[in-house]
Amino acid sequence: MTGSASQIGGALSRRTFLTSTAVPAVGLSLLDRVRGETVPAEATLDPRQPVPLDLHVNGHGYRLALDVRTSLLDALREHIGLTGTKKGCDHGQCGACTVLMNGKRVLSCLTFAAMAQGHEFTTIEGMTASDGTLHPMQQAFIDHDAFQCGYCTPGQIVSAVACVQEGHAKSDAEIREFMSGNLCRCACYPNIVDAIKDAKAKMKES
Ligand code: FES
Ligand code: FES
């Protein structure tokens, strides 16, 4: 049989092969970084064993114990409880999971939580002021009706804030280009561009 996920007759399945080779290698490398230790090459660590992690999100510190393979997206949603960041494709293709790392856009579905230590993250929840005042970009999305179902909206807003801060919102074409990593199945693109232009002026004022 060719092209199958597993082989018959005692041969290794793909899952068994990955578990016994690639995954421990990745796990060891990440554990080295996380713990700052040198692990003997012959050591056999179980990558499923939780490792301690400290994450900084929206000005708060969180101490977690996670499987080293946990994505930042899952850490935010499942372990910290910040569910504003959305999981769309989980493969780096839709932008729904966009968060800011030290002010720069990153896809949290493609970022290991273990590699997020030492950085400051901002999610959609962190855009709102402590007194409940919305960020100018959040308000502009409302004012310009820049969403329908809203599933892509947290990622759009986070990405839009960075787009303006990067200086990549000087024209409609530039906004479209630098927001092209954030897909909207409801096709609210014209309204999103209008919202970003509006918020850009207000962000300068604030
Ligand atoms: S969920 Fe991360 S890019 Fe789609
Ligand atoms: S508002 Fe529905 S996917 Fe963008």
Side-chain angles (χ1 to χ4, degrees):
M1 181 188 301
T2 59
S4 60
S6 60
Q7 293 179 317
I8 301 172
L12 288 173
S13 69
R14 179 181 297 176
R15 185 182 191 85
T16 304
F17 176 78
L18 286 172
T19 302
S20 62
T21 56
V23 170
V26 171
L28 283 172
S29 172
L30 286 171
L31 282 169
D32 284 351
R33 288 177 183 234
V34 169
R35 293 175 172 163
E37 297 172 354
T38 301
V39 180
E42 66 275 11
T44 53
L45 295 178
D46 184 346
R48 293 164 294 192
Q49 287 298 315
V51 294
L53 298 175
D54 289 312
L55 297 183
H56 288 89
V57 186
N58 301 331
H60 300 287
Y62 297 91
R63 173 150 291 184
L64 306 169
L66 300 176
D67 182 317
V68 291
R69 298 165 296 180
T70 306
S71 70
L72 175 61
L73 175 58
D74 285 342
L76 291 170
R77 290 182 54 84
E78 309 297 334
H79 298 277
I80 295 179
L82 294 173
T83 56
T85 306
K86 300 304 182 203
K87 181 181 285 189
C89 64
D90 209 19
H91 283 84
Q93 296 178 344
C94 72
C97 66
T98 305
V99 298
L100 302 183
M101 182 174 83
N102 305 326
K104 306 287 186 192
R105 294 181 264 190
V106 294
L107 298 174
S108 59
C109 72
L110 296 186
T111 305
F112 280 120
M115 300 173 79
Q117 291 195 112
H119 301 285
E120 181 61 42
F121 289 88
T122 305
T123 69
I124 187 65
E125 291 91 344
M127 295 284 165
T128 307
S130 55
D131 66 358
T133 303
L134 296 180
H135 187 284
M137 192 64 74
Q138 292 174 305
Q139 189 61 54
F141 267 63
I142 294 170
D143 295 342
H144 290 270
D145 205 16
F147 51 87
Q148 287 186 35
C149 78
Y151 198 80
C152 74
T153 308
Q156 298 278 4
I157 290 174
V158 170
S159 192
V161 169
C163 180
V164 171
Q165 291 174 340
E166 291 163 7
H168 291 141
K170 292 190 280 295
S171 67
D172 287 19
E174 191 177 39
I175 290 171
R176 289 195 191 95
E177 173 66 25
F178 282 88
M179 289 295 292
S180 60
N182 290 81
L183 305 183
C184 177
R185 285 293 301 270
C186 301
C188 296
Y189 299 112
N191 304 48
I192 289 172
V193 172
D194 289 344
I196 292 173
K197 288 191 293 185
D198 183 8
K200 177 189 170 190
K202 291 170 180 160
M203 286 169 70
K204 277 184 177 172
E205 292 166 6
S206 60

